[in-house]
Amino acid sequence: MKRFGPGESVAAILLALAALSPFVLPSQAWIGFAVNAVLISVLAIAWNVTGGFCGQMSFGHAALYGTGAYAAAMLQIRLGLNPYLAAASGVAAGAAMGGLIGALAFRYGLRGSYFALVTLAFAEVLRILASSFEITGAGSGLTLPFKPGLADLQFPDRYAAYLFVLALCIAALAVSAAVKGSRLGSNMIAVRENEEAAGAIGIDAFRVKVIAMTISGAIAGAAGVAYLQIQLFVDAPIAYGSLISVEALLGPIIGGAGTLLGPIIGTIVLHIVGEVVKNGVGGAPGLNLVFYGIVLLLILRFLPNGLMGLAGRLRRPAPAAAAARTAEAR
Amino acid sequence: MLTASGVTKRFGGLVAVNDASLHVKEGSIVALIGPNGAGKTTMFALVAGFLKPNAGTVTFRGTRLDGMAPHRICRLGLTRTFQIVQPFAGLSVRENIACGAHLHHAGRKDALARAAEIAAQVGMERMLDQPAQDLTVAGRKRLELARALATEPKLLLLDEVMAGLIPSEVAQIIPTIRRIRDSGVTILLIEHVMQAVMSLSEEAYVLNQGRIIAHGTPQALVRDPTVIEAYLGHGAAERLHASEAGAALHA
Amino acid sequence: MLGLVVPAILSGLTTGAVYALVALGLTLIYGVLHIINFAHGSLLMAALYVALVLNMRLGLDPYVALPIVVAVFFCAGYLLQRFVVDTFSHGRDANILLVTLALSIIIDNGALYLFTSNTRTVDVPYAFDMIEVGPAFIPLPKVVAFVAALVIAGLLWLVMRHTRLGAAIRAVAIEKRGAELMGIDVKHTYAMCFGIGTACVAAAACLLLPTFYVTPQVGYAFVLVAFTTVVLGGMGSLGGALVAGLLLGVVEALCGLFLGETLGQIGIFAAFILTLLFRPAGLFAPKVA
Ligand SMILES: Nc1ncnc2c1ncn2[C@@H]1O[C@H](COP(=O)(O)OP(=O)(O)OP(=O)(O)O)[C@@H](O)[C@H]1O
Ligand SMILES: [Mg+2]
């Protein structure tokens, strides 16, 4: 059977080195950067389940991420729930929100641009709601009391936080790998490739897509919970803002949608580019994001299958342009 | 095993299938023939759940199918192929077939192993790791067949799996289809290649302008004047007859 | 009560006309290219800044600047479609969506870099002139925006109905291949559409500027409303966008009146999600099968 090709192996080794680098280069700034990059990688892995495996491109993954963060925060602050239980509930809330959005959108057959729009709209509605009501802290957001220690799922220093997000990222990667290597994953890919043909071979596309959104919601919710437990703070623009939705999809698209490691590679490359630019121009706001946009454009132009597509070329001769295949499928 | 009765499908003003009835016996190979635009593909879509009939019923092994979703119909053991092939272009041949095999094999390993077996059945064992998008027309048609077969159907609807193939490829696929039937799969096929219809099926239905106009053995049907007129136009049977008589006279 | 509702409706109509203008551009592009231009709001924001800079540097009144800004943005839109969107997406739908997203990220954050996040406004002498409309007093610039938006919509309609370009656009929208075979230059037509769509937001920007503010994020708010308008009106329908824009302006004004400013926007998004789910072909379309 097909194991990992040379491309995947190289990517995996690079990632392992990157994961270890904070221990070798122990600067606070570097670790802070790494915490953020790995956290967004988790979100990217979540997006990849729906956008990459299942082909349903969401422009509103903040809806899932923010729901995880807000649910965990509200349960701890308003109900005094144990942080671990609250965290688990945050993950569940993310999953439920994913399932709900998926069920509504797919029930009515929304695809392509329409699905992108409806997910975006959900994130936006949640953002406005969260910034309007007292229970979600309205405009000032929610702050967790600082109680460093494992008992409260809080981290005394950035190392501890890094270890936590790293573990979370590995867990998310394991879930994503398990999904991809299962019947469910095969069904998702079939739906992505051709929904009608998938139906003809007994695949319930609606169900598969809703499950994909649910799993994706759980992972994105976990990322939101992790953000909360590390920053001890959420507010609407952070949790439900469009930046999070955009970051969720940039990593997978740049790294290679539908591949296992692509979302992480893409996120890390992007963050490194952003960081380099930021340092180069002395922290002017906006410019790093301009480069995010440029990287995205260049990838779309020159590497339509993302960086992992480049790695894939090590294995077999360049596959025919993806454009040709969609044209031919018609 | 399959009974369609009085099935009608309208697209706006066009009646693509008009009060059509047919019956497929278990273990047989039945052909559905007719000129272009007769409504054959539409009939398949109606049977396999891709379209809802405006009237009429479809029954498969005692279960009403009309109005049921395609994936549920497939799970009952009725699978169709597409005339315009719909491979999962980004996947390899093996992965394509495994997508179908997963219907009855939960494990990835099982499904992939099963895919290899099916590929061998349709003569694709050497193309297993080729990307589907790199296949030739003949390869794609075979893949379409293999993927459907992987769902382990009891009744297989084949929509022009021989269209676009060169005669030697047709000659290869005919025994494949016969072997599939012999392994216990009933087959209903749409085909324009009459040589294939004649050699494969015991029974054929002729569809013309949405109506079933004739039914019988293929050998009888090719001599049926109604059928000839449907294909070649009004008066064709007579002309054909006359020219045959003329040819006989000359000889 | 009525004393508040009627002015709210009138003011809503004036806002709605501008929404409609923004949405007309978006729906025109969608109708022909069948993709959503996520950079639409960013282009609006960029046009607002251009008009602002023309005003601050050259003292040009936004209304005087309108033809210049429209011309510049028409060209920019044409070139963007021809040399960026089309080339960088390889013509694949999903990628077109992503290319326009990338453009919006670049434009938004480029503006943030150049102009910082400070909110800016222009000073025009007529900003607070009021016009009496029935029981309400409406600021003069809003009335101008309302009238001008309707005039531009009318012009657009004339172009679509009575020019070769309009015929070409309609042909490409219906059947791209066929149009191509008839000798229509599809890439040029796409780019013309993108250009006209972008010109619409440029016009909207100049009409908005006297009563509105500019920040690098301002496009985002508008583009979401524009999406809603386009969906509500039926993707690709010009008349639908016009009616839906006016309707949404009123809905927003009324929700704002009864629910407060921030929640007022919820009315729009609720309308958006409900239409997407239940009438994805739009309010005025025959019910989809
Ligand atoms: N979705 C549809 N909407 C409108 N008309 C359709 C649709 N599908 C098929 N038709 C029309 O119905 C008629 C029957 O089409 P169908 O594809 O069933 O014919 P066919 O017998 O399979 O022909 P062929 O031998 O060319 O494959 C044709 O006139 C076709 O144009
Ligand atoms: Mg057909």
Side-chain angles (χ1 to χ4, degrees):
Chain A
M1 282 303 96
K2 186 182 77 192
R3 301 305 300 178
F4 292 110
E8 279 96 339
S9 310
V10 170
I13 292 167
L14 285 179
L15 279 183
L17 289 177
L20 293 175
S21 68
F23 304 107
V24 187
L25 289 169
S27 93
Q28 284 294 307
W30 180 250
I31 298 173
F33 164 78
V35 167
N36 188 31
V38 176
L39 186 73
I40 298 298
S41 297
V42 176
L43 185 62
I45 292 172
W47 189 91
N48 192 44
V49 173
T50 39
F53 298 163
C54 210
Q56 311 299 313
M57 211 163 29
S58 148
F59 275 28
H61 253 52
L64 315 176
Y65 175 89
T67 300
Y70 264 108
M74 275 154 57
L75 288 171
Q76 287 178 66
I77 293 170
R78 306 280 182 236
L79 300 180
L81 200 66
N82 170 295
Y84 285 91
L85 287 179
S89 312
V91 174
M97 183 56 73
L100 175 75
I101 295 177
L104 281 173
F106 300 132
R107 168 78 187 74
Y108 294 98
L110 302 187
R111 298 187 200 180
S113 296
Y114 285 89
F115 182 67
L117 275 185
V118 86
T119 49
L120 182 81
F122 268 102
E124 202 55 18
V125 166
L126 289 170
R127 184 182 66 77
I128 297 172
L129 288 177
S131 59
S132 305
F133 288 102
E134 213 36 60
I135 189 161
T136 51
S140 47
L142 295 173
T143 307
L144 290 188
F146 184 48
K147 288 186 237 161
L150 273 189
D152 286 285
L153 194 58
Q154 292 186 12
F155 311 101
D157 55 34
R158 286 181 170 181
Y159 262 123
Y162 179 68
L163 284 177
F164 177 70
V165 289
L166 193 61
L168 183 64
C169 185
I170 292 170
L173 187 61
V175 169
S176 147
V179 167
K180 195 179 183 197
S182 70
R183 159 148 73 185
L184 177 62
S186 167
N187 289 352
M188 285 183 190
I189 291 168
V191 167
R192 171 189 77 199
E193 293 286 321
N194 188 327
E195 215 172 306
E196 193 175 40
I201 56 171
I203 296 171
D204 183 349
F206 171 73
R207 187 165 161 272
V208 167
K209 289 191 285 187
V210 172
I211 293 176
M213 275 296 280
T214 309
I215 295 174
S216 184
I219 302 175
V225 171
Y227 178 87
L228 171 75
Q229 296 303 126
I230 291 169
Q231 302 295 335
L232 306 180
F233 175 71
V234 284
D235 71 4
I238 292 174
Y240 286 126
S242 60
L243 183 62
I244 281 293
S245 296
V246 167
E247 284 219 75
L249 68 83
L250 283 179
I253 299 285
I254 287 168
T259 63
L260 276 182
L261 298 177
I264 311 179
I265 299 260
T267 306
I268 289 178
V269 166
L270 201 60
H271 278 238
I272 289 175
V273 169
E275 198 65 16
V276 168
V277 170
K278 219 191 250 173
N279 289 334
V281 296
L287 212 56
N288 57 330
L289 284 170
V290 170
F291 275 82
Y292 280 21
I294 293 175
V295 172
L296 177 56
L297 274 184
L298 293 178
I299 291 279
L300 290 170
R301 175 76 179 87
F302 298 105
L303 289 175
N305 296 320
L307 293 167
M308 290 304 286
L310 189 66
R313 286 190 197 168
L314 294 176
R315 191 173 53 197
R316 52 165 134 122
R325 70 160 117 113
T326 35
E328 216 156 337
R330 302 256 151 84
Chain B
M1 154 176 262
L2 176 78
T3 308
S5 47
V7 176
T8 300
K9 179 70 196 176
R10 287 184 212 98
F11 294 117
L14 176 86
V15 190
V17 174
N18 193 353
D19 194 21
S21 303
L22 55 77
H23 179 78
V24 178
K25 271 200 305 286
E26 183 146 13
S28 59
I29 299 183
V30 176
L32 180 60
I33 60 176
N36 288 114
K40 305 178 296 294
T41 298
T42 306
M43 187 71 191
F44 267 24
L46 290 167
V47 169
F50 288 81
L51 293 173
K52 259 192 201 158
N54 296 107
T57 60
V58 180
T59 317
F60 175 63
R61 308 172 85 225
T63 313
R64 280 278 296 271
L65 297 186
D66 40 291
M68 202 184 267
H71 68 267
R72 292 192 49 213
I73 293 177
C74 174
R75 288 173 193 185
L76 292 175
L78 190 164
T79 310
R80 74 174 285 198
T81 66
F82 293 93
Q83 177 176 0
I84 301 163
V85 290
Q86 317 247 0
F88 300 139
L91 308 184
S92 69
V93 166
R94 189 198 305 273
E95 289 162 337
N96 261 275
I97 306 176
C99 284
H102 264 305
L103 187 63
H104 294 294
H105 300 271
R108 187 80 187 138
K109 274 219 178 87
D110 289 355
L112 288 169
R114 183 83 187 114
E117 284 172 37
I118 305 259
Q121 263 187 54
V122 301
M124 296 195 88
E125 62 275 27
R126 280 205 299 237
M127 303 167 205
L128 273 171
D129 291 313
Q130 269 186 36
Q133 65 199 11
D134 295 352
L135 294 176
T136 59
V137 178
R140 287 172 191 219
K141 294 271 180 182
R142 274 174 196 267
L143 179 58
E144 190 76 20
L145 172 63
R147 198 177 56 195
L149 203 54
T151 65
E152 295 168 24
K154 301 187 178 73
L155 173 62
L156 188 54
L157 309 187
L158 301 178
D159 195 345
E160 298 199 24
V161 285
M162 293 172 223
L165 303 195
I166 57 174
S168 68
E169 289 166 339
V170 171
Q172 277 176 359
I173 209 163
I174 287 177
T176 306
I177 293 175
R178 202 173 286 131
R179 272 199 305 277
I180 292 170
R181 192 269 306 268
D182 293 343
S183 72
V185 182
T186 309
I187 292 173
L188 174 61
L189 53 82
I190 294 176
E191 207 43 82
H192 282 301
V193 183
M194 276 314 281
Q195 161 214 357
V197 173
M198 307 273 265
S199 83
L200 276 171
S201 58
E202 304 86 58
E203 198 183 343
Y205 287 86
V206 185
L207 201 59
N208 185 33
Q209 298 187 344
R211 289 182 178 278
I212 301 278
I213 54 162
H215 167 218
T217 66
Q219 286 72 17
L221 287 175
V222 291
R223 281 192 297 270
D224 185 331
T226 0
V227 177
I228 295 172
E229 302 225 332
Y231 272 93
L232 301 176
H234 187 66
E238 235 157 58
R239 284 198 300 278
L240 208 67
H241 203 76
S243 72
E244 257 173 34
L249 247 161
H250 279 289
Chain C
M1 195 76 245
L2 211 65
L4 283 176
V5 169
V6 173
I9 291 179
L10 288 175
S11 150
L13 280 175
T14 60
T15 322
V18 177
Y19 287 165
L21 192 52
V22 176
L24 279 176
L26 195 61
T27 209
L28 183 68
I29 295 172
Y30 182 87
V32 176
L33 281 82
H34 303 290
I35 51 110
I36 300 219
N37 175 16
F38 270 90
H40 204 64
S42 310
L43 290 167
L44 175 74
M45 178 271 295
L48 279 165
Y49 272 110
V50 169
L52 183 86
V53 169
L54 286 178
N55 178 266
M56 291 193 318
R57 289 284 152 83
L58 306 178
L60 274 188
D61 186 274
Y63 296 144
V64 179
L66 190 141
I68 305 170
V69 181
V70 165
V72 167
F73 273 75
F74 171 78
C75 297
Y78 185 95
L79 297 174
L80 265 183
Q81 162 62 25
R82 194 104 201 212
F83 297 107
V84 181
V85 179
D86 190 54
T87 324
F88 281 68
S89 66
H90 302 281
R92 292 169 70 191
D93 283 2
N95 285 3
I96 296 179
L97 213 60
L98 289 170
V99 169
T100 62
L101 179 72
L103 285 176
S104 82
I105 296 173
I106 294 172
I107 299 172
D108 285 359
N109 293 289
L112 184 63
Y113 178 68
L114 291 176
F115 298 102
T116 73
S117 60
N118 293 344
T119 302
R120 302 183 196 219
T121 50
V122 289
D123 276 322
V124 284
Y126 47 82
F128 297 102
D129 291 355
M130 291 288 179
I131 284 192
E132 195 175 347
V133 183
F137 285 93
I138 310 278
L140 173 71
K142 289 200 144 198
V143 177
V144 172
F146 179 77
V147 174
L150 293 186
V151 168
I152 293 171
L155 284 177
L156 200 57
W157 185 83
L158 284 177
V159 168
M160 292 298 283
R161 280 291 135 193
H162 297 289
T163 64
R164 280 181 80 88
L165 174 66
I169 290 177
R170 280 180 293 140
V172 172
I174 296 166
E175 178 53 59
K176 177 176 136 192
R177 284 265 173 81
E180 204 158 21
L181 292 175
M182 298 297 291
I184 294 174
D185 182 347
V186 170
K187 286 198 170 183
H188 171 73
T189 311
Y190 275 2
M192 287 300 283
C193 269
F194 216 93
I196 297 175
T198 310
C200 285
V201 288
C206 294
L207 296 174
L208 265 179
L209 196 58
T211 52
F212 215 68
Y213 58 90
V214 196
T215 72
Q217 291 88 28
V218 72
Y220 189 66
F222 268 92
V223 79
L224 287 169
V225 176
F227 288 156
T228 314
T229 313
V230 166
V231 169
L232 209 59
M235 294 258 207
S237 151
L238 293 182
L242 185 60
V243 178
L246 294 173
L247 191 69
L248 275 183
V250 174
V251 166
E252 188 189 39
L254 291 180
C255 282
L257 182 64
F258 294 114
L259 303 175
E261 270 300 314
T262 49
L263 279 182
Q265 283 210 312
I266 292 271
I268 289 195
F269 293 113
F272 185 33
I273 292 177
L274 291 177
T275 334
L276 269 177
L277 293 179
F278 297 106
R279 298 300 291 267
L283 273 189
F284 316 111
K287 207 167 160 66
V288 280

